[in-house]
Amino acid sequence: MTTTADTVVHHRPPMEVVVPDEPLTEVLRRAVREHPGVVAVDFMGRRTTYRQLSVQISKAASALRALGVGHGDRVALVMPNCTSHVVAFWATLRLGAVVVEHNPLYSAAALAHQLADSGATVALAWSKTVPAVLEAQPSTDVRTVVAVDLARDLPTKSRAALRLPVRQARETAAKMRGPVPRDVRWWHRLVAAAEPSGIGTEPASDDLALLQYTGGTTGTPKGAMITHRNLVANVIQGEAWTGMKPGCETVYGVLPFFHTFGLTLCVAYAARIAATLVAFPNFDPDQMLAAMRRRPGTFLPAVPPMLDRLMDAAERSDASLTSFRYALSGAMSLPAETARRWEEMTGGLVIEGYGMTETSPVALGNPFTPDRRPGALGIPFPSTEIRLADPDGPLREATPGATGELLVRGPQVFSGYWNQPEETACQLLDDGWLRTGDFVRVDDDGYVYLVDRLKEVIVTGGFKVYPSEVEDHLRGLEGIEDVAVVGVPEPGRGESVVAAIVLKVGHTVDTVDLAAVRAWGEQRLARYALPKRLVVLTELPRSQVGKVLRRVVRDHVLRRDEAPPPGM
């Protein structure tokens, strides 16, 4: 096989970029003006050009305005990746309103908190999510819930196939649709009946564009306030980093758009370079390989387990992945074997990046050159500064050559947490430096390496799990006296969620087992947050002030894993 260096044009990014004083909507308007005939979105084979997308967005903006949405209002989007998600995102921004993204698999309790906190007045929800949104609605300011039929985004033949009287068609339809009360209106009907909207009042670059909820250091969901300028800066930085050619790229949208990683790298960045976004409702390697046959991808933002599963599927079916020139891996460490295997199978490059919701999201990255360093977070994005703070105080510089907390400053850094000035003051220093909560070291060439997480967040399969959130829920299970949730290494997924519990008097592992803990957890937690293992302790280790020492718990679990079985 030819080497990567022989098949990929290496691009060395600039140190600085110019961020224009314009809203993110101008990014899309420019793509429509300069590349109207390029396919903007390919959803399961249904193609929408930039010209057609512009018309749909205009009609959708009119539909939202008729629902009372205006400048500064919050609109909740609770749906998987699809064309409707893309349209609703841009239509909301066009009105100067604020997008609030939500995981469509969240429980009613989780949605209720976020909807109430954001003050969203309109919720556009996937039909399968509508019942949860309606259950949450009474405790929120949401006055209108609109149902989104995912099947309406499919090609005509695929929609017709869902009506066939066969089991496979019924099962597929059941996965895409859910029960919706008669009095709930449908998004596609509202958009179809609307007249194209005039431009109206354009948002300013410093206006709020997105409220993205993150658990942060405490596990308590907080709305990160991301402005138009933040997003414009990050997509310009991304364009400078990759050097991709406008109007010629195909971005595979397998990351969920309700995360900033997927929303910025797939939806916003694709528009910046007038690329075709191939959107998938969920990650399915076989669906991706089928899409590759009709529209080969050139750029894949992903998490390492996705890369591994896609390569496994390609090997089983003898499919080619050689159209992918670039892949950007994030959310968890990129294993060296995954990188080696990807570059052998594609002839392209895969690099690791680093960021967080508060940096919109990318702050560091490895360059798409032979200088990339496997295992490193990378170097600062253009126009991005970093410094290492003393672990005992963010206002002091770390000792040269020592480990310190990573601080970031740049145009992509968010403006604070929604209605949480104290949390904002803890995270965002007065001079614009963002505390990441990660301990890092920097080598002599300026490459940053992660040493440890100050935040005890567990990263499993690319998703973040906040231990305190899981613990708070598990404490409500009868029989559990106390609990500490930690992450331990799991090949291919980053970390595995482990719950260490202390049983109440009179209870045993026969009454409180892993199955019972997972069943209880399913009432409020996402599936990826459910413990995969259970460890029973007589007591939890605590500090002098009574705080549970999760690190000690984790070390105990790891020692158990290393101990030889009895009789050895």
Side-chain angles (χ1 to χ4, degrees):
M1 174 176 292
T2 55
T3 65
T4 298
D6 294 332
T7 57
V8 174
V9 176
H10 297 124
H11 173 72
R12 192 171 299 279
M15 295 291 292
E16 301 288 335
V17 293
V18 176
V19 181
D21 184 23
E22 64 183 29
L24 186 66
T25 47
E26 184 58 33
V27 166
L28 179 67
R29 187 171 292 113
R30 188 177 296 111
V32 173
R33 183 173 63 249
E34 297 177 1
H35 302 276
V38 170
V39 173
V41 183
D42 178 321
F43 180 68
M44 310 303 287
R46 182 171 183 177
R47 301 184 297 269
T48 304
T49 66
Y50 274 99
R51 181 188 293 110
Q52 294 167 332
L53 182 65
S54 179
V55 173
Q56 289 187 32
I57 291 168
S58 183
K59 290 166 69 70
S62 287
L64 288 173
R65 184 181 285 124
L67 295 175
V69 176
H71 192 279
D73 291 332
R74 276 77 67 201
V75 176
L77 304 187
V78 199
M79 65 184 94
N81 296 3
C82 57
T83 306
S84 288
H85 198 145
V86 177
V87 170
F89 172 78
W90 289 109
T92 300
L93 296 185
R94 182 167 180 172
L95 293 176
V98 182
V99 171
V100 189
E101 290 283 355
H102 303 276
N103 186 333
L105 301 181
Y106 271 163
S107 65
L111 285 170
H113 171 81
Q114 294 185 4
L115 290 170
D117 185 71
S118 72
T121 55
V122 172
L124 307 182
W126 178 31
S127 59
K128 290 183 75 70
T129 306
V130 165
V133 176
L134 291 175
E135 184 180 340
Q137 186 178 11
S139 61
T140 73
D141 292 330
V142 173
R143 59 174 182 261
T144 306
V145 179
V146 181
V148 177
D149 182 0
L150 207 62
R152 290 292 299 272
D153 284 351
L154 295 174
T156 303
K157 289 183 178 179
S158 299
R159 292 204 307 273
L162 294 179
R163 296 192 292 269
L164 294 175
V166 295
R167 187 179 67 178
Q168 184 178 0
R170 289 194 297 269
E171 291 176 350
T172 302
K175 291 178 181 178
M176 301 192 77
R177 293 168 169 158
V180 175
R182 289 181 177 273
D183 59 342
V184 173
R185 286 176 283 185
W186 289 92
W187 176 241
H188 286 84
R189 293 176 184 173
L190 293 177
V191 173
E195 292 294 328
S197 168
I199 294 177
T201 303
E202 279 287 282
S205 63
D206 289 331
D207 281 349
L208 189 59
L210 177 67
L211 272 183
Q212 187 70 46
Y213 279 85
T214 172
T217 60
T218 64
T220 302
K222 302 186 293 292
M225 298 188 294
I226 300 174
T227 66
H228 282 263
R229 176 177 169 79
N230 293 150
L231 293 170
V232 168
N234 214 219
V235 297
I236 290 176
Q237 290 166 325
E239 182 184 30
W241 200 260
T242 61
M244 292 185 179
K245 187 177 179 181
C248 300
E249 306 293 343
T250 300
V251 178
Y252 265 41
V254 295
L255 292 169
F257 298 164
F258 56 79
H259 284 172
T260 48
F261 192 8
L263 190 67
T264 301
L265 269 293
C266 298
V267 179
Y269 174 69
R272 170 69 189 184
I273 61 171
T276 295
L277 170 61
V278 181
F280 300 87
N282 59 294
F283 175 66
D284 184 327
D286 293 328
Q287 280 187 355
M288 291 180 67
L289 293 179
M292 288 286 287
R293 290 191 286 271
R294 72 169 185 273
R295 192 174 295 277
T298 61
F299 178 52
L300 176 62
V303 296
M306 290 179 173
L307 300 178
D308 285 325
R309 289 181 58 191
L310 179 59
M311 289 187 288
D312 290 343
E315 287 182 336
R316 288 194 302 269
S317 60
D318 198 27
S320 173
L321 300 176
T322 56
S323 65
F324 283 118
R325 302 199 315 278
Y326 303 117
L328 177 64
S329 176
M332 57 188 291
S333 179
L334 174 65
E337 175 60 19
T338 299
R340 182 201 62 78
R341 189 176 168 215
W342 178 266
E343 295 190 351
E344 279 193 0
M345 290 186 66
T346 65
L349 292 174
V350 57
I351 61 107
E352 188 169 355
Y354 169 87
M356 51 200 301
T357 299
E358 291 87 344
T359 56
S360 308
V362 188
L364 306 171
N366 269 273
F368 284 107
T369 71
D371 296 334
R372 66 194 186 285
R373 302 283 176 87
L377 301 179
I379 56 179
F381 250 32
S383 299
T384 302
E385 302 172 81
I386 66 169
R387 68 180 178 89
L388 270 59
D390 189 307
D392 294 326
L395 300 181
R396 298 191 301 271
E397 297 285 341
T399 303
T403 294
E405 182 186 356
L406 177 64
L407 272 60
V408 176
R409 182 166 66 180
Q412 75 272 48
V413 172
F414 81 144
S415 58
Y417 295 113
W418 180 255
N419 291 331
Q420 297 205 38
E422 292 183 0
E423 288 284 351
T424 298
C426 289
Q427 195 94 359
L428 196 58
L429 305 182
D430 290 339
D431 52 0
W433 287 101
L434 171 70
R435 297 188 62 184
T436 67
D438 286 326
F439 286 138
V440 302
R441 63 178 176 85
V442 180
D443 68 14
D444 293 338
D445 295 321
Y447 282 79
V448 180
Y449 292 81
L450 181 67
V451 174
D452 204 352
R453 287 185 170 88
L454 175 63
K455 305 166 293 185
E456 294 170 321
V457 176
I458 301 166
V459 181
T460 177
F463 290 96
K464 290 184 177 179
V465 176
Y466 302 99
S468 61
E469 182 180 17
V470 181
E471 292 163 357
D472 288 345
H473 183 55
L474 294 186
R475 286 192 185 98
L477 175 60
E478 184 177 354
I480 290 183
E481 179 70 31
D482 209 350
V483 58
V485 171
V486 297
V488 298
E490 180 183 6
R493 291 190 61 80
E495 296 174 296
S496 176
V497 180
V498 178
I501 64 171
V502 176
L503 295 171
K504 289 183 178 179
V505 176
H507 288 268
T508 68
V509 291
D510 293 327
T511 56
V512 185
D513 59 7
L514 181 61
V517 168
R518 287 177 63 86
W520 177 263
E522 285 178 343
Q523 297 179 25
R524 206 177 84 183
L525 303 172
R527 290 191 62 82
Y528 57 78
L530 299 176
K532 296 185 70 175
R533 290 176 56 195
L534 200 63
V535 174
V536 178
L537 303 176
T538 55
E539 64 179 358
L540 295 180
R542 295 179 180 274
S543 68
Q544 291 182 337
V545 296
K547 182 179 179 181
V548 173
L549 300 173
R550 291 200 187 100
R551 183 177 301 281
V552 177
V553 174
R554 183 176 184 270
D555 291 343
H556 176 81
V557 173
L558 292 174
R559 285 196 301 271
R560 281 192 173 194
D561 292 342
E562 294 172 356
M568 292 293 289

